[in-house]
Amino acid sequence: MPIHIKLIYQTPQGAKTEFYSDPMDMKDAIQIAEDLEKTGRKLAFTFLDDYDHSWTLKELKKYTEEIQSEPHNIIVYFDGGFHKEKKAAGLGCVIYFDKSGKSYRLRKNIFAEGLESNNEAEYAALDLGLKELENLEVHHLPVTFIGDAMVVINQMNDEWPCYDDDLEKWIDRIENRIGKMGLTASYKLVSRKDNQEADKLATQALNKVEIEATSEVAETDR
């Protein structure tokens, strides 16, 4: 989770100003703050995330220790493929997360029947990603959901209205699940090229090739 450092500096003569850092990893923010404290200058730190939640240095260190053994720094890629004649869909999700100092990738897909459109398949794929987060016991954390479905991303970001009753039901279902899990969700639209893993899983699911696997990855592979 990216963190900004808010630094309040005061000179011996009493002049005071504030500085805000670029976003950085929590571990880097803590290391920089501890290094600045060694200067002996009169400094005050506040750490802010993108949702305006704030921590003191002591609170942030405690928080990072608590989450190390649980999945965190979570990104979910999702994609749904729809076969109109069969009214069947392939749903795929790829979840990247950190746990106990290592980075992991979870891949999951399923074959689904009874859906009516490609947009519904995309929502079902997003819901699949949430179910997998439930299985990982993820709760009360920020999560970024990434997909190439413009309708889904814009509607979940409240940028486009939804006039379709079936899609509205998916939105309600997803928002209720997010609320119960205590997640702070953000949604990002990417090109299909940048969503290849989830797209491939959706295609494989349509062909009834099911995949469920978790593997360790390098942090740069996210």
Side-chain angles (χ1 to χ4, degrees):
M1 177 172 59
I3 290 290
H4 302 261
I5 301 176
K6 176 185 174 182
L7 169 64
I8 301 174
Y9 175 74
Q10 183 174 336
T11 69
Q13 293 77 27
K16 186 186 293 187
T17 190
E18 295 181 359
F19 300 93
Y20 291 84
S21 75
D22 291 331
M24 65 184 73
D25 184 83
M26 287 187 290
K27 292 183 292 184
D28 292 337
I30 291 171
Q31 185 179 18
I32 289 171
E34 289 179 333
D35 191 64
L36 286 170
E37 282 188 330
K38 295 176 183 177
T39 64
R41 297 285 186 175
K42 191 172 183 180
L43 305 171
F45 300 100
T46 301
F47 302 87
L48 306 169
D49 64 19
D50 290 336
Y51 308 100
D52 292 330
H53 188 90
S54 63
W55 294 269
T56 64
L57 178 56
K58 182 178 179 180
E59 290 170 339
L60 186 63
K61 290 171 73 172
K62 181 179 179 181
Y63 176 73
T64 56
E65 290 172 0
E66 289 174 347
I67 68 172
Q68 283 306 305
S69 61
E70 301 176 359
H72 56 282
N73 291 342
I74 301 165
I75 300 174
V76 180
Y77 291 82
F78 68 94
D79 194 42
F82 183 68
H83 195 293
K84 187 174 181 180
E85 287 72 27
K86 295 181 181 179
K87 287 193 175 181
L91 316 178
C93 69
V94 183
I95 301 175
Y96 288 91
F97 63 94
D98 294 337
K99 182 178 179 180
S100 301
K102 297 180 180 180
S103 296
Y104 296 91
R105 178 184 64 183
L106 181 155
R107 296 184 298 148
K108 170 76 174 182
N109 68 357
I110 61 171
F111 177 81
E113 296 181 291
L115 303 182
E116 298 293 334
S117 68
N118 189 71
N119 285 332
E120 196 175 358
E122 295 282 5
Y123 271 111
L126 173 55
D127 191 56
L128 172 65
L130 276 168
K131 289 176 182 176
E132 291 304 308
L133 292 183
E134 281 184 321
N135 292 337
L136 289 170
E137 299 183 346
V138 172
H139 60 90
H140 297 92
L141 286 174
V143 178
T144 301
F145 296 92
I146 300 177
D148 56 49
M150 188 175 292
V151 169
V152 174
I153 298 298
N154 285 325
Q155 287 180 343
M156 293 306 297
N157 277 328
D158 292 327
E159 294 177 359
W160 288 7
C162 179
Y163 301 111
D164 185 298
D165 289 341
D166 290 331
L167 299 187
E168 189 65 44
K169 290 177 183 177
W170 279 106
I171 293 172
D172 290 342
R173 182 184 306 172
I174 288 165
E175 290 183 341
N176 286 337
R177 197 186 299 277
I178 287 171
K180 288 178 181 178
M181 297 169 70
L183 304 181
T184 303
S186 60
Y187 303 92
K188 180 181 177 181
L189 180 67
V190 295
S191 67
R192 178 164 293 184
K193 178 183 177 182
D194 292 328
N195 198 30
Q196 288 183 9
E197 282 189 297
D199 177 69
K200 183 178 180 180
L201 285 169
T203 300
Q204 289 171 319
L206 263 178
N207 294 323
K208 297 189 177 180
V209 177
E210 294 189 358
I211 294 172
E212 183 172 3
T214 301
S215 57
E216 187 177 343
V217 296
E219 188 174 349
T220 55
D221 290 339
R222 283 171 167 264

